Amino acid sequence: MVQAMFTAEPELRYSDGIAAERTMLAVRVNAAALQRRLPAGWESVPYEGDDLRGKSLRGANVLIPFHEVYASRSDDGTGGGTAQVSYIAFVSQARNLATGTMAHVHWFTYTEEPAGVPGRYRDGKLARITRSLSFTKERRGETRVRQIVSAVGDAGQVDLSLAYEQGGMVVWLTADKPNLPLQAANDPDVVRWYQEDQVLNVVHSEPLNIDQVTELTFSVAGELADVFDGSEHVVAVVVQRPYMRQVYVP
C-alpha cells in the first residue's frame, strides 16, 4: 500500500519472505511525540499527494499493520519460526534531512514470537496476542467481517475491535522488483527492501469518502502513550488479504 524510493537503489540480495494477511490502520498522532521516536536526522512526513497512496491516507503519520503470518521462508527457501505468528508494527514515512531520501521508519513492534525480540528491526517486544476473525455472508456479494485483536506486553497494550463490509475500493497491486525500503529507527545499518503482491481493500478512507466500517474501537496504552495520547485519529483502514512479501537487503 505504501511506497517510497531511495535516491539510488543498492545492490540487493534475497533475505526472507512471508505469506500473510494484515489489517492496517493509518493514524494521525501527536506529531511532536512521533518525531522523538524517529532517529536523528529524519523528519516525519505525513501522507499527501495525488496518487492512490496520498489520496487515501492523506494526513496520517503512522501506519499500524496488524499481521497474521501463515507461512515464512528464509534465504535458503526453507520455512522457519512459529506457525501463524501475530505481530503489530508501527511505521512512519520520513525524510532524511541530509540527503532528502524518503523511506519508512520502523520504530516499534509487539510480537508473540520470542525469536522476534528484538527482531530484524531491533525494536520488538514480546506480547501475548489474541485474535478473532469471523466472516458472515448471507447474500451474494455481501460479506461482513468482524475482527478483534489484543496485544498485552509487560509495559503496554494495544486493542482493536473492527467490523466492516467487504468492498469500498479493491485494488490488486504487484511489484516487479523491491521498491519499498524500511529503515530501522534503532539501527541505521538496518534497511530492508520489500517487494509485495497484495490485494488491497480500502474499507475506510476519510480523504476518499469511503466508509464500509460499522464498528471501530482502537486504543494504545502504556509505553506508547506519548505518541497515542488520546488525540490520535484513524484516517484510513486498509485490509490486505491475501498478502505476499519478499524482502531483500543490501
Side-chain angles (χ1 to χ4, degrees):
M1 180 64 193
V2 293
Q3 179 176 336
M5 295 191 66
F6 280 178
T7 54
E9 295 184 10
E11 292 293 327
L12 301 173
R13 61 176 177 81
Y14 183 79
S15 172
D16 53 273
I18 60 172
E21 66 175 64
R22 66 185 179 188
T23 298
M24 186 181 75
L25 305 187
V27 186
R28 183 171 61 248
V29 302
N30 184 310
L34 171 61
Q35 186 62 50
R36 291 192 290 270
R37 294 277 180 167
L38 302 183
W42 290 81
E43 66 173 355
S44 171
V45 179
Y47 291 96
E48 62 178 357
D50 294 329
D51 60 355
L52 173 61
R53 215 164 278 106
K55 288 180 178 179
S56 61
L57 308 180
R58 181 175 291 128
N61 54 9
V62 173
L63 301 181
I64 310 168
F66 292 73
H67 285 79
E68 185 73 10
V69 178
Y70 297 113
S72 61
R73 68 178 180 183
S74 61
D75 57 358
D76 62 4
T78 61
T82 304
Q84 296 200 21
V85 170
S86 299
Y87 70 94
I88 304 168
F90 295 79
V91 179
S92 294
Q93 181 174 255
R95 177 186 294 111
N96 186 297
L97 294 174
T99 65
T101 295
M102 293 287 289
H104 284 79
V105 175
H106 198 294
W107 53 267
F108 194 86
T109 307
Y110 278 127
T111 178
E112 65 179 350
E113 171 61 90
V117 179
R120 300 181 188 276
Y121 289 101
R122 316 290 193 261
D123 62 13
K125 292 195 175 183
L126 199 62
R128 180 177 183 268
I129 300 179
T130 58
R131 177 177 181 264
S132 68
L133 179 64
S134 64
F135 299 85
T136 302
K137 184 175 184 179
E138 298 176 342
R139 290 181 295 201
R140 181 171 60 88
E142 296 182 9
T143 300
R144 296 188 296 277
V145 183
R146 178 173 293 276
Q147 181 174 357
I148 299 174
V149 183
S150 177
V152 180
D154 288 340
Q157 182 168 342
V158 178
D159 291 287
L160 171 67
S161 180
L162 173 67
Y164 61 90
E165 294 185 7
Q166 288 186 171
M169 176 183 290
V170 178
V171 182
W172 189 338
L173 296 178
T174 299
D176 60 2
K177 64 178 181 178
N179 63 355
L180 173 61
L182 267 72
Q183 170 87 42
N186 291 341
D187 187 342
D189 293 330
V190 175
V191 182
R192 290 165 54 78
W193 288 72
Y194 289 8
Q195 179 178 350
E196 300 175 339
D197 189 356
Q198 56 193 315
V199 175
L200 308 174
N201 186 184
V202 182
V203 296
H204 177 72
S205 171
E206 290 185 349
L208 293 180
N209 294 316
I210 295 172
D211 193 9
Q212 301 286 110
V213 171
T214 57
E215 176 190 333
L216 174 59
T217 303
F218 169 67
S219 65
V220 180
E223 59 194 317
L224 298 180
D226 58 326
V227 176
F228 298 88
D229 60 1
S231 65
E232 62 271 10
H233 180 72
V234 177
V235 174
V237 179
V238 181
V239 179
Q240 290 150 292
R241 185 187 302 118
Y243 164 56
M244 304 287 288
R245 183 179 79 198
Q246 312 297 333
V247 181
Y248 297 78
V249 296

